Amino acid sequence: MEKINFRRAKLAVAAHTKAQIPEALRPRIIFAGRSNVGKSSLINLLTGQKNLARVSQTPGKTQSLLFFDIDEKIWLVDLPGYGYAKSSYSKKEAFSDLVSRFLELHSDLSLVLLIIDSRRGLQKDEGDFLAWANAHNIPLRIVCNKIDQLKQSELQKLKSQFGKQALYTSVPKRRGLNELRQAIADAVGLEVLPVD
């Protein structure tokens, strides 16, 4: 089986318009989630590169579709965070429209990773996104991030709620990294090249 090296990663395209979206010549893995759930930090952990995805203290800073080339085998697509982004209303509408069009036109996605903040559980807009993916038969896995900030009893409650289908991650503690890489590799029929 062909192997994928997650450390061979680079930002290839920042798409602000539909015309800038790369052709679907390889599988696409989507990172979706509310602003400030740690998507950028998770991408950096996944690829072993501290500054590949810019980590911002300002929620909603990512305002384009970011296409990361992973080992010239897959596109990892970071969607703009939603929720309490501080963009102007008209900008929010434009980005929302871009994301909606992308998802509607590219329903043959290999996997959507819906990143949630473990401390807050599944919010309404995340539930809506989950329902949308299910309605379009798009494979989706929930990634419960920031589990290092939970008490053990809270983590057990979270695991009983989401079960084994979810992934549980912590960037500072590097927890869930292997499982995250494996989930992506499995979705595209590749084997993870051990690099850590």
Side-chain angles (χ1 to χ4, degrees):
M1 184 183 289
E2 193 175 3
K3 291 181 167 61
I4 183 168
N5 181 351
F6 282 95
R7 286 185 173 272
R8 289 194 63 214
K10 64 181 179 182
L11 175 60
V13 178
H16 297 272
T17 66
K18 192 176 117 182
Q20 295 172 325
I21 293 173
E23 288 185 50
L25 301 176
R26 61 181 76 160
R28 284 152 305 178
I29 306 294
I30 305 300
F31 268 52
R34 290 175 61 86
S35 301
N36 220 27
V37 294
K39 287 188 294 127
S40 296
S41 297
L42 212 48
I43 289 169
N44 291 339
L45 177 67
L46 180 74
T47 60
Q49 297 185 34
K50 287 185 179 180
N51 300 308
L52 181 65
R54 290 186 188 150
V55 179
S56 172
Q57 300 305 313
T58 306
K61 191 74 172 174
T62 302
Q63 297 184 343
S64 56
L65 300 177
L66 301 179
F67 286 78
F68 296 94
D69 176 346
I70 309 295
D71 202 13
E72 299 184 350
K73 293 183 174 72
I74 64 171
W75 288 120
L76 193 156
V77 186
D78 183 10
L79 299 185
Y82 51 87
Y84 43 83
K86 291 184 179 178
S87 308
S88 69
Y89 184 75
S90 59
K91 254 189 175 180
K92 276 193 211 172
E93 289 294 299
F95 289 122
S96 176
D97 185 53
L98 177 64
V99 170
S100 298
R101 284 177 177 231
F102 172 73
L103 293 172
E104 286 166 11
L105 293 171
H106 301 275
S107 59
D108 58 337
L109 303 170
S110 297
L111 179 65
V112 172
L113 294 167
L114 179 59
I115 321 297
I116 70 167
D117 186 330
S118 295
R119 301 166 299 176
R120 295 179 173 82
L122 200 65
Q123 303 292 300
K124 183 190 180 305
D125 45 12
E126 293 162 335
D128 293 343
F129 193 97
L130 184 60
W132 173 85
N134 288 336
H136 290 82
N137 296 312
I138 294 171
L140 181 143
R141 299 215 34 201
I142 292 174
V143 179
C144 300
N145 197 24
K146 304 186 180 183
I147 59 169
D148 56 293
Q149 298 182 32
L150 297 180
K151 295 176 184 170
Q152 193 59 35
S153 59
E154 293 171 327
L155 180 57
Q156 289 310 315
K157 185 177 177 183
L158 189 74
K159 287 185 174 182
S160 66
Q161 180 184 357
F162 291 110
K164 292 182 179 178
Q165 182 60 18
L167 298 162
Y168 303 90
T169 58
S170 162
V171 172
K173 305 287 187 186
R174 296 178 58 84
R175 290 174 64 184
L177 172 60
N178 292 336
E179 293 82 356
L180 181 60
R181 285 179 174 166
Q182 192 62 56
I184 293 171
D186 289 347
V188 295
L190 295 171
E191 188 178 327
V192 177
L193 180 71
V195 287
D196 294 329

